[in-house]
Each structure stands twice: as C-alpha cells, then as structure tokens.
Amino acid sequence: MKTISRRSAIALGVTAAAVPPLFTLAAAAKVKKYGPKEGKEIAPGVRLVEVGTGNSDIPAYKSISIVDIVFQPGAAAPQMVMDNDMVCTIAAGEFTIKKADKQFKLREGDMYTCAKGKTDAATNTSKVVGIHRIAVLIPA
C-alpha cells in the first residue's frame, strides 16, 4: 500500500468537501429531457451535451465543466481513458460501470468517480433514457 503525504491528504479532504455542494446544485437543476439529436454523438446511442462551466475554488483545479452524457436504452460508451478527474452522478436510468479492476451497478442518484489516466466504460441497463451528469475537473 502506498503512503499518502499530509499535503495530499489535505488536498483530498478539501476536494471531497467541495464536491457534494457542487453536485447538490448540479443535481438540483432539473434534468432536461434531451432530444435524439441534441449534443454530440460519442458512440452509437450516446451523446454528450455541455451544460456549463464555472471557476473552481479548489486549488488543484482552475474550472469545473458540467456535461450530461445521454444514453439511449441499452446503449454503451466503450472503454475510454479519462482525460481529467471527474465526479459522476446518475441523473436518470440504471448503469453498469466497468473499470480496469472492478464492475458495479448504479441507479438514479448514485455517484462515482473517475481518475485521470484510468479507464472506464458504461452501459445503460435500463429501459429508459439514461443520463450521467459529470463534473469534469479542469487542472490549474
């Protein structure tokens, strides 16, 4: 097991404390029903819709971009390497998430994280349009 420095522990604590209020605001925003052509297609049946961007008070990040990834029923985003750290919440639907070392299921309201340089894949396992609301943390 790797040891963690005091500075890293403090940064992690500050980040963890800052993310819940962000998602309270992001989740509180009514999730829009997206049309089949809104946003940019990133895989068959999967579209990326930009919601907004704001400045970050977290020292390690200069800004935070909120995006919705809209999945048609049964659609899957292939395994990809993450370009940034991200905090994800399931705004609609149910998903199976596959990472390099584990696989798990999530329902509406559940959250998970993705780390820069790690892989992640998602499949909408519900019979409704599924939405991942993602806070993309842009480094300073």
Side-chain angles (χ1 to χ4, degrees):
M1 183 172 161
K2 290 184 177 181
T3 58
I4 185 169
S5 72
R6 187 168 67 163
R7 181 175 288 163
S8 295
I10 291 169
L12 181 61
V14 168
T15 302
V19 169
L22 168 72
F23 265 98
T24 300
L25 294 172
K30 187 175 180 181
V31 176
K32 180 181 174 186
K33 291 197 177 216
Y34 293 108
K37 298 293 182 189
E38 285 189 72
K40 176 184 174 188
E41 185 173 63
I42 59 173
V46 181
R47 301 188 77 79
L48 181 144
V49 179
E50 294 180 14
V51 176
T53 301
N55 293 328
S56 171
D57 288 334
I58 304 168
Y61 303 102
K62 71 177 177 183
S63 62
I64 300 170
S65 177
I66 304 291
V67 298
D68 283 348
I69 308 297
V70 183
F71 291 75
Q72 295 304 309
Q79 191 168 41
M80 294 183 268
V81 176
M82 301 298 109
D83 293 333
N84 296 85
D85 293 329
M86 301 177 207
V87 181
C88 309
T89 189
I90 305 303
E94 295 182 4
F95 289 84
T96 297
I97 308 299
K98 184 175 182 182
K99 294 184 174 275
D101 59 345
K102 61 186 168 184
Q103 181 172 309
F104 50 94
K105 295 181 184 282
L106 297 171
R107 295 184 193 153
E108 187 172 325
D110 291 342
M111 295 175 68
Y112 71 104
T113 58
C114 303
K116 180 179 180 177
K118 303 291 183 175
T119 59
D120 188 275
T123 302
N124 181 0
T125 56
S126 67
K127 295 183 191 306
V128 300
V129 173
I131 300 173
H132 277 202
R133 175 148 292 170
I134 302 175
V136 181
L137 305 172
I138 311 299

